[in-house]
Structure formats: structure tokens, C-alpha cells
């Protein structure tokens, strides 16, 4: 059985199938593989109809089975739960049949927004977050170590969403954040092409605009941390900075290296592709001065606070099934 696309899988599910999927998600709090008997006890439905639903979920690769152990969600199953919640929230209407962008760490689909206009749904596949070593994160994940991929992806999506909200508000050219659910971020669609693929007629102006965007983001508290020609979309002459899950707070010790790295990466690209060699020394010098006026915090303290915020968002998320299992 080939793997169908997410949208087709979603449309073919009955209410009961969806409910079974949601209960499996909820029971992941306790089990890496959810035993059938646990599922039956929870659903209070007869075994035949539950098994029928499981067969349907299996057919679309939304759950997978391990011998005697039970069932677990696949990424695709998690995708379907996020789509379902986003549709119920009145955010999205449909998904493109196949991804418009797909990489190691995300699948990006085009969508029609119910409020009007085009959007994208970015499903995070893993956490490209930078606080893996924070003690608190380990503790928190420790309780749920069975399904860490699920939580890492979820945190990664919320990290990206937080950065999009903060930078967008500050006037940085980024996609407009629309919603976040589980591991999926909905944002506006930027109609253009990657900086890597574009043929700029005026690289100097593009460079200036990008440096302005970096500075506005910096002042709002955000350093991109993975800036490159692949994470900038040129919509006509206007650059948009995308792909934010690994952002770094301006105010932590060590953030300056990330910032300089971003700037150097881009300068290297402009030199290589356009033979345009901006002088980055004065730019770095200016940031050094700005850093002199910031009271830098230890990363652990900042990330702990940030994690609390993300956890709060996650707990209050629409369609959150966690509590259903307790
Ligand atoms: N808001 C958007 N508007 C239009 N296209 C987008 C948008 N966000 C992402 N994309 C497309 O999806 C691709 C991947 O998005 P993004 O860079 O955010 O994720 P990623 O995790 O880096 O994925 P990859 O591993 O492929 O680089 C982008 O290169 C771009 O083509
Ligand atoms: Mg990217």
C-alpha cells in the first residue's frame, strides 16, 4: 500500500476513526505503544468497530503497529490530528495534494485560508531547537521520553511561531503567523523564489534590505541562527526571512556568535554568486557596540522561561488531547 497524501487520508476518515487516532495520541502520555486493551477500555466501544478503525488508520499509515505491544502514531497521523484541529478552528480549508517544500526537518504544504488568501502549513519533523541541553527541558522530556519526537516537533513548531509573532509585530519581513497546533505552523504564503534561485538585478539593495531585517529582528530580541540563501524568499524585490525554529534570543550570552555567523554566511553568498562584497566589519562593529549596552543573561535562565511560555501555549492549545488521558 503506497502512502497516500495527508489530505486524502484525512478526508477518508470517519468520526470514529479520528476519535481512535485522538485517543492513541492521548495515551502516548503513558505508552510508547498503546496496548489494544487500553484503547478498548478507554473508547468503551466494541472490539470489532475499533479494529475496523485501526485498519483504516493503518491503511493510510497514520498509525503503526508493533507485534504484541500495540499501536503508535506516525508523523502522518500527527499531521492529520493537526489538520483536523486547524480545520475545526476555522483556519484552513484545504491542503495542496503534495508538499511545496520538503526537507529533513519539515514538510510544507500550501493551503487556502478560511479568512482569505493563501497560506502554508509547515509540519515540523524534529526539533532544531537550541536548548537541548537545558536541564529543565531534559526533565520535562524525561517524563514523556517514550514519544520524544512528538514533543520535540511540537516544541520546535511553537518556537518558530513565537519568533514569527515577535518579528512580524516588529515589522521584520517574515510570513504573517496565523496559527500553531501541535507540530504545525500556519503562516501566510510568500509568493516568490528562494534567494538561492533568484537572479537579482540589484544585489546591493537586496543585501541592505536583508541587513535591515536582521537588525530589526535583533532589536526585537530575535537572531535567526540559520540564515542563508535557502531561508530567504525574494518576493519580487523584497526579501522575506523564513524558517525560524532555531532562533536565538538576543539577550543571551553567546548570541553574538550566531548573529555574526548569519551575517558572514550571507556575505559569502553575495560574494560568490554576484561578486558583490559588502564590507561587514562596520556592521559587526555596530553590533559590538549595541552588545555593550545589553545585559546578557545565562542561556539556561532565558530558555527556562521560554519553555514555560511554550508549555503554557501547548497546554491551552485547541484540540489538545493530553488531559483527556489523565
Ligand atoms: N511562508 C512560506 N511561503 C512560501 N513558501 C514557503 C514558506 N515557508 C516555507 N516555504 C517553502 O518551504 C521550504 C521549506 O521551508 P523552511 O525553510 O521553513 O523549512 P526547512 O525545515 O528548512 O526545510 P528544508 O529542510 O527543506 O530546508 C522553503 O524553502 C520554501 O520553498
Ligand atoms: Mg529552510
Amino acid at each position: 500500500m503506497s502512502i497516500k497524501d495527508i489530505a486524502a487520508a484525512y478526508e477518508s476518515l470517519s468520526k470514529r476513526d479520528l476519535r481512535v487516532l485522538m485517543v492513541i495520541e492521548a495515551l502516548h502520555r503513558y505508552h510508547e505503544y498503546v496496548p489494544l486493551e487500553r484503547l478498548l477500555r478507554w473508547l468503551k466501544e466494541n472490539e470489532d468497530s475499533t479494529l475496523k478503525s485501526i485498519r483504516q488508520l493503518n491503511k493510510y499509515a497514520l498509525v503503526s503497529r508493533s507485534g504484541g505491544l500495540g499501536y503508535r502514531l506516525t508523523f502522518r497521523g500527527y499531521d492529520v490530528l493537526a489538520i483536523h484541529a486547524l480545520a475545526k478552528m476555522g483556519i484552513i480549508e484545504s491542503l495542496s495534494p503534495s508538499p511545496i517544500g520538503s526537507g529533513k526537518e519539515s514538510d510544507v504544504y500550501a493551503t487556502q485560508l478560511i479568512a482569505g488568501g493563501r497560506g502554508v502549513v509547515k509540519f515540523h519533523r524534529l526539533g532544531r531547537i537550541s536548548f537541548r541541553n537545558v536541564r529543565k527541558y531534559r526533565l520535562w522530556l524525561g517524563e514523556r521520553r517514550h514519544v520524544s519526537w512528538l514533543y520535540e516537533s511540537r516544541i520546535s513548531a511553537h518556537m518558530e511561531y513565537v519568533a514569527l509573532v515577535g518579528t512580524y509585530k516588529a515589522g521584520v519581513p517574515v510570513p504573517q503567523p496565523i496559527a500553531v497546533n501541535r507540530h504545525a505552523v500556519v503562516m501566510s504564503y510568500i509568493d516568490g523564489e528562494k534567494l538561492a534561485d533568484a537572479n537579482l538585478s540589484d544585489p546591493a539593495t537586496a543585501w541592505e534590505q536583508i541587513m535591515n531585517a536582521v537588525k530589526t529582528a535583533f532589536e526585537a530580541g530575535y537572531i535567526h541562527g540559520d540564515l542563508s540563501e535557502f531561508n530567504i524568499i525574494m518576493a519580487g524585490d523584497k526579501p522575506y526571512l523564513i524558517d525560524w525554529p532555531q532562533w536565538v534570543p538576543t539577550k543571551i550570552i553567546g548570541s553574538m556568535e550566531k548573529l555574526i555567523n548569519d551575517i558572514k554566511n550571507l556575505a559569502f553568498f553575495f560574494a560568490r554568486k554576484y561578486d558583490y562584497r559588502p564590507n561587514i566589519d562596520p556592521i559587526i562593529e555596530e553590533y559590538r557596540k549595541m552588545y555593550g549596552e545589553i545585559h546578557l543573561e545565562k542561556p539556561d535562565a532565558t530558555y527556562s522561561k521560554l519553555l514555560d511560555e511554550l508549555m503554557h501555549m501547548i497546554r491551552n492549545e485547541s484540540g489538545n488531547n493530553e488531559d483527556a488521558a489523565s
Side-chain angles (χ1 to χ4, degrees):
M1 172 86 215
S2 68
I3 294 180
K4 300 261 170 140
D5 65 78
I6 309 171
Y10 177 51
E11 271 149 35
S12 72
L13 299 183
S14 70
K15 268 199 168 143
R16 195 190 55 211
D17 302 339
L18 263 173
R19 178 144 183 269
V20 173
L21 196 61
M22 284 179 199
V23 171
I24 292 175
E25 179 191 35
L27 290 173
H28 269 321
R29 182 160 179 183
Y30 307 106
H31 308 275
E32 180 177 6
Y33 285 92
V34 179
L36 179 62
E37 100 255 356
R38 186 83 203 264
L39 199 54
L40 290 171
R41 206 175 339 132
W42 181 264
L43 283 159
K44 298 190 185 76
E45 283 193 43
N46 72 53
E47 188 164 342
D48 281 354
S49 62
T50 301
L51 283 173
K52 203 173 148 213
S53 283
I54 289 177
R55 269 199 301 278
Q56 186 72 357
L57 297 173
N58 217 347
K59 178 175 150 195
Y60 287 101
L62 307 181
V63 298
S64 68
R65 208 187 109 180
S66 162
L69 291 173
Y71 302 91
R72 71 162 179 198
L73 275 185
T74 60
F75 257 124
R76 189 163 294 264
Y78 205 34
D79 296 349
V80 163
L81 288 172
I83 293 173
H84 179 64
L86 290 166
K88 269 182 72 173
M89 285 156 72
I91 307 282
I92 60 171
E93 196 145 31
S94 60
L95 274 194
S96 57
S98 53
I100 58 166
S102 173
K104 284 193 305 292
E105 307 200 288
S106 75
D107 285 317
V108 179
Y109 285 77
T111 184
Q112 188 59 45
L113 299 170
I114 291 179
R118 278 168 95 188
V120 308
V121 183
K122 177 175 174 181
F123 295 100
H124 287 239
R125 297 298 182 218
L126 264 186
R128 202 167 10 146
I129 36 184
S130 49
F131 45 71
R132 282 176 201 272
N133 299 325
V134 175
R135 197 172 55 93
K136 185 153 181 208
Y137 180 53
R138 277 208 308 270
L139 283 178
W140 176 74
L141 266 187
E143 292 167 29
R144 302 161 163 87
R145 61 191 172 280
H146 297 310
V147 279
S148 61
W149 61 267
L150 195 141
Y151 289 97
E152 279 194 30
S153 306
R154 194 171 196 167
I155 291 177
S156 179
H158 284 75
M159 271 293 276
E160 175 157 45
Y161 187 75
V162 162
L164 287 176
V165 169
T167 52
Y168 184 81
K169 262 198 214 146
V172 183
V174 296
Q176 180 180 0
I178 302 196
V180 60
N181 188 273
R182 293 179 175 76
H183 63 320
V185 179
V186 186
M187 62 187 107
S188 65
Y189 179 87
I190 308 296
D191 197 1
E193 56 184 345
K194 271 178 226 158
L195 177 61
D197 303 328
N199 272 310
L200 302 178
S201 54
D202 183 1
T205 301
W207 166 263
E208 286 292 316
Q209 285 173 316
I210 295 167
M211 285 306 110
N212 284 339
V214 167
K215 187 164 175 213
T216 311
F218 173 88
E219 286 165 348
Y222 304 85
I223 292 168
H224 188 286
D226 187 25
L227 206 56
S228 73
E229 62 274 27
F230 302 104
N231 286 333
I232 295 176
I233 299 180
M234 298 298 302
D237 294 338
K238 187 170 176 189
Y240 284 83
L241 278 39
I242 65 162
D243 198 7
W244 287 84
Q246 70 294 311
W247 70 274
V248 174
T250 298
K251 65 177 179 195
I252 64 166
I253 295 165
S255 74
M256 185 160 168
E257 277 96 85
K258 298 276 180 191
L259 177 74
I260 292 177
N261 223 10
D262 279 355
I263 294 170
K264 281 188 174 162
N265 274 345
L266 276 177
F268 184 69
F269 167 77
F270 275 86
R272 190 164 33 107
K273 177 152 179 177
Y274 295 102
D275 200 22
Y276 172 70
R277 292 165 204 285
N279 181 5
I280 63 171
D281 293 341
I283 300 176
I284 291 174
E285 195 42 45
E286 198 191 334
Y287 279 114
R288 258 187 228 293
K289 276 197 201 122
M290 285 194 272
Y291 266 104
E293 284 155 28
I294 304 174
H295 173 71
L296 293 176
E297 292 178 1
K298 287 199 176 134
D300 277 23
T302 308
Y303 282 129
S304 284
K305 262 185 266 154
L306 190 54
L307 258 174
D308 284 344
E309 256 173 61
L310 300 182
M311 290 307 300
H312 183 76
M313 284 169 74
I314 287 171
R315 254 181 259 118
N316 293 311
E317 199 164 82
S318 161
N320 186 3
N321 294 318
E322 275 238 317
D323 296 335
S326 40

